[in-house]
Amino acid sequence: MINNRLYGPSSVTFADDFVKTSKKHYNYDHLKINFRDKRSAVNSINEWAAKSTDGKLPEITKDVQNPDGAMIVNAMFFKPHWDERFHEKMVDNRGFLVTRSFTVGVPMMHRTGLYDFYEDKENNLYILNMPLGKKQASMILIMPYHLEPLERLEKLLTRKQVDTWLSKMENKAVAVSLPKISLEVSHNLQVNVSVGT
């Protein structure tokens, strides 16, 4: 669920071509707002975000930075579901290596299924592509042969490298064990744009 809106100061008129183009290419709604009344502006933005995400994001901003500028607001909410669910009874507590010397007990989910899989022997990695709900998206899991710091993996993560891995994947029977987690991430995507008069 992604909703976009461009807020402009009440003293400015949006050009028709600009409105049409930004709606067509970026799916932005446009609204004029009085940024000088910060409380009202913040409430209006948060009410729009809550309404456009069915109440999942009740607050996306606490302040309006530039009373003379414009503001692009993106309200996104994404809750993925596995295409093939993990069975609730296939969960147990196991040790999860955080570092070589530190292990924490976490609930682990297990399942076996047919997944796109590739073993990158040159880089000592396993790559698994797990589809999410109705195969509209997927999660790519990258696991090194051995526990190691993330720096090497981060350097490998280029678009070209990921495309190479994906092109070499084969559908195979794979036993998967993943930590059962709930992850919540919030990013402030405010962009203040100077408005010329």
Side-chain angles (χ1 to χ4, degrees):
M1 177 181 303
I2 301 173
N3 295 285
N4 308 302
R5 181 171 274 183
L6 172 63
Y7 288 94
S10 49
S11 59
V12 171
T13 302
F14 294 116
D16 288 341
D17 285 346
F18 172 76
V19 170
K20 287 177 188 172
T21 303
S22 59
K23 180 72 176 166
K24 178 181 176 184
H25 295 291
Y26 305 106
N27 198 29
Y28 279 112
D29 288 330
H30 301 79
L31 188 71
K32 293 194 279 184
I33 194 170
N34 182 2
F35 286 122
R36 295 197 182 277
D37 182 354
K38 287 188 174 191
R39 181 179 293 176
S40 176
V42 166
N43 287 341
S44 177
I45 293 166
N46 287 331
E47 285 171 13
W48 166 79
K51 184 178 178 184
S52 64
T53 60
D54 296 327
K56 303 287 192 289
L57 296 173
E59 183 180 272
I60 61 170
T61 189
K62 292 182 181 187
D63 192 20
V64 176
Q65 301 290 326
N66 184 355
D68 296 318
M71 183 184 224
I72 296 172
V73 179
N74 308 102
M76 287 185 270
F77 181 79
F78 177 64
K79 184 174 182 179
H81 294 282
W82 299 110
D83 188 51
E84 295 178 27
R85 292 181 182 265
F86 286 81
H87 195 281
E88 292 175 17
K89 293 183 180 179
M90 294 296 294
V91 175
D92 61 7
N93 283 320
R94 300 229 178 145
F96 185 82
L97 290 167
V98 178
T99 67
R100 280 184 164 58
S101 60
F102 181 59
T103 303
V104 295
V106 296
M108 297 286 283
M109 309 181 298
H110 312 282
R111 75 165 282 111
T112 301
L114 291 172
Y115 298 106
D116 290 338
F117 178 83
Y118 175 65
E119 181 179 0
D120 184 343
K121 294 179 182 177
E122 180 182 331
N123 289 306
N124 300 323
L125 299 170
Y126 299 109
I127 297 93
L128 177 70
N129 190 358
M130 291 189 70
L132 299 172
K134 299 179 184 174
K135 295 183 173 58
Q136 293 178 340
S138 66
M139 178 184 294
I140 299 171
L141 302 166
I142 302 167
M143 188 177 87
Y145 287 180
H146 307 285
L147 184 66
E148 63 178 86
L150 287 175
E151 287 81 11
R152 183 179 76 89
L153 297 178
E154 289 171 344
K155 287 178 185 170
L156 284 172
L157 282 177
T158 64
R159 180 66 196 200
K160 183 179 179 183
Q161 182 62 66
V162 172
D163 286 343
T164 299
W165 288 331
L166 293 175
S167 71
K168 294 182 177 183
M169 287 188 160
E170 295 178 11
N171 203 254
K172 294 185 175 187
V174 179
V176 179
S177 294
L178 293 174
K180 185 176 182 178
I181 60 169
S182 176
L183 181 65
E184 188 172 315
V185 178
S186 177
H187 294 285
N188 184 346
L189 300 176
Q190 291 183 4
V191 178
N192 291 298
V193 182
S194 176
V195 177
T197 53

